[in-house]
Amino acid sequence: MSHRRAVSLMILVTLLWSIAGVVARHLDSAHSFEVTFWRSLFNALALGCALSLLYGRQLWRSLLDGGWPLWFSGFCWSVMFTAFMLAITLTSVANVLVAMAIGPLITALFARIFLQHRLPARTWLAIALAGFGIAWMFGQEASAGLSLTGSVVALAVPLAAALNFTTLQHAGHRGRGEDAAMPQDMLPAVLIGAVLSAACTLPFAHPLQATAHDLGLLALLGVVQLAIPCLLVVRLSRELAAPEIALLGLLEVVFGVTWAWLGAGEQPGGSTLIGGALVLAALVGNEVLALRGPAGNIRTAVSGD
């Protein structure tokens, strides 16, 4: 897969991820843990069907023989699935996305520490610019009375995402040595995460109050907003470095805030718009410089391989 195509697919992933906030605002009766439970359950059902078609009986063997990277990645997915929807029910979509957007900074740090990635100057500059934009938004939102509980819960998402992307990168590249012909397949980890999230939130979801309308929207989130993009991002972890995946993932901030504004009336403040513009400028600048470089050196420059 070319770098250009991988970047395009990652942008699609962020677009699909970004619909969660606006869809959640149109639920009738489901709240908090029940929202997370149903979304994770529908996600698990969709993933179970898709992966069963792909793997057949080998799916269960891959779960048993996956080793620590597969199960640790699954745990990270479960934290991301659970914390995000809980945070959405506790504070505004913009606040959640602002807190999540520190992910590239954490991912770059983890990739440097655990994977010894050498990042090009343009990527560090893009991360710094994006970080400044996020810090601007966060500072302004905090001064306006940001929900502490919702923000703390939301911070679990970028932390788990950074650990997850770093683990996916490790698993995707460790199979390229002399003793292994293929990188480890990490797609089943998404299924593990969905099952763990549904199982952990079920005891707190009672009494179940979701209407048929709610179940339809939550099924949409489970399949379109979670299952499809999460499978895509696992595949893309073989093509894009962990910090670049996290940096492109910042587009979810721009998309998500826009959807919440247009579809749920959550109008962002001026600080959010300014910060979002800085984030978008960092992303566009980084990708334009990458695409203008020698085609054979793009991936090496980004990942440090």
Side-chain angles (χ1 to χ4, degrees):
M1 185 185 300
S2 68
H3 182 267
R4 187 190 300 269
R5 184 177 182 184
V7 168
S8 298
L9 286 174
M10 188 61 208
I11 292 174
L12 174 62
V13 166
T14 62
L15 184 62
L16 294 176
W17 276 341
S18 69
I19 68 173
V22 65
V23 172
R25 291 297 182 257
H26 291 280
L27 296 173
D28 293 330
S29 303
H31 299 287
S32 191
F33 284 100
E34 184 182 2
V35 173
T36 306
F37 164 71
W38 284 116
R39 188 183 75 141
S40 295
L41 179 62
F42 285 120
N43 183 27
L45 292 174
L47 290 170
C49 293
L51 294 179
S52 293
L53 290 174
L54 287 173
Y55 293 91
R57 294 181 180 180
Q58 289 297 115
L59 173 61
W60 310 112
R61 181 174 295 276
S62 67
L63 293 174
L64 293 175
D65 300 337
W68 75 263
L70 183 74
W71 285 90
F72 183 74
S73 177
F75 170 77
C76 291
W77 282 115
S78 72
V79 173
M80 294 161 65
F81 294 157
T82 303
F84 176 77
M85 286 310 294
L86 287 179
I88 284 291
T89 65
L90 294 172
T91 187
S92 70
V93 174
N95 288 351
V96 173
L97 295 176
V98 164
M100 285 173 52
I102 65 170
L105 304 177
I106 303 175
T107 303
L109 178 62
F110 286 173
R112 179 64 178 170
I113 293 173
F114 299 116
L115 302 179
Q116 288 77 51
H117 279 180
R118 299 182 303 277
L119 302 179
R122 61 173 174 77
T123 300
W124 283 115
L125 180 61
I127 290 174
L129 181 59
F132 178 78
I134 296 308
W136 173 269
M137 289 192 291
F138 189 85
Q140 295 299 313
E141 292 288 349
S143 64
L146 181 68
S147 171
L148 180 61
T149 302
S151 297
V152 170
V153 173
L155 285 174
V157 180
L159 180 59
L163 290 170
N164 196 17
F165 290 148
T166 304
T167 302
L168 291 174
Q169 197 83 79
H170 166 76
H173 288 275
R174 70 175 187 168
R176 297 182 181 182
E178 295 180 358
D179 298 331
M182 293 290 291
Q184 182 176 3
D185 190 348
M186 298 292 285
L187 288 178
V190 189
L191 175 59
I192 293 173
V195 172
L196 288 177
S197 178
C200 291
T201 54
L202 177 59
F204 303 98
H206 291 283
L208 299 177
Q209 299 176 332
T211 63
H213 173 261
D214 289 347
L215 292 177
L217 291 180
L218 291 168
L220 173 69
L221 291 181
V223 178
V224 177
Q225 189 264 331
L226 268 190
I228 295 173
C230 288
L231 289 176
L232 280 174
V233 81
V234 172
R235 174 63 182 85
L236 293 174
S237 68
R238 300 184 186 180
E239 310 298 332
L240 300 173
E244 190 174 21
I245 289 176
L247 187 61
L248 286 167
L250 281 178
L251 278 174
E252 185 182 358
V253 177
V254 179
F255 292 148
V257 171
T258 302
W259 290 132
W261 184 4
L262 297 178
E266 287 191 11
Q267 184 173 353
S271 61
T272 302
L273 295 176
I274 294 173
L278 290 173
V279 170
L280 187 58
L283 288 166
V284 172
N286 184 62
E287 293 309 317
V288 167
L289 290 175
L291 293 174
R292 290 181 63 184
N297 295 332
I298 289 176
R299 197 174 189 287
T300 300
V302 172
S303 67
D305 290 348

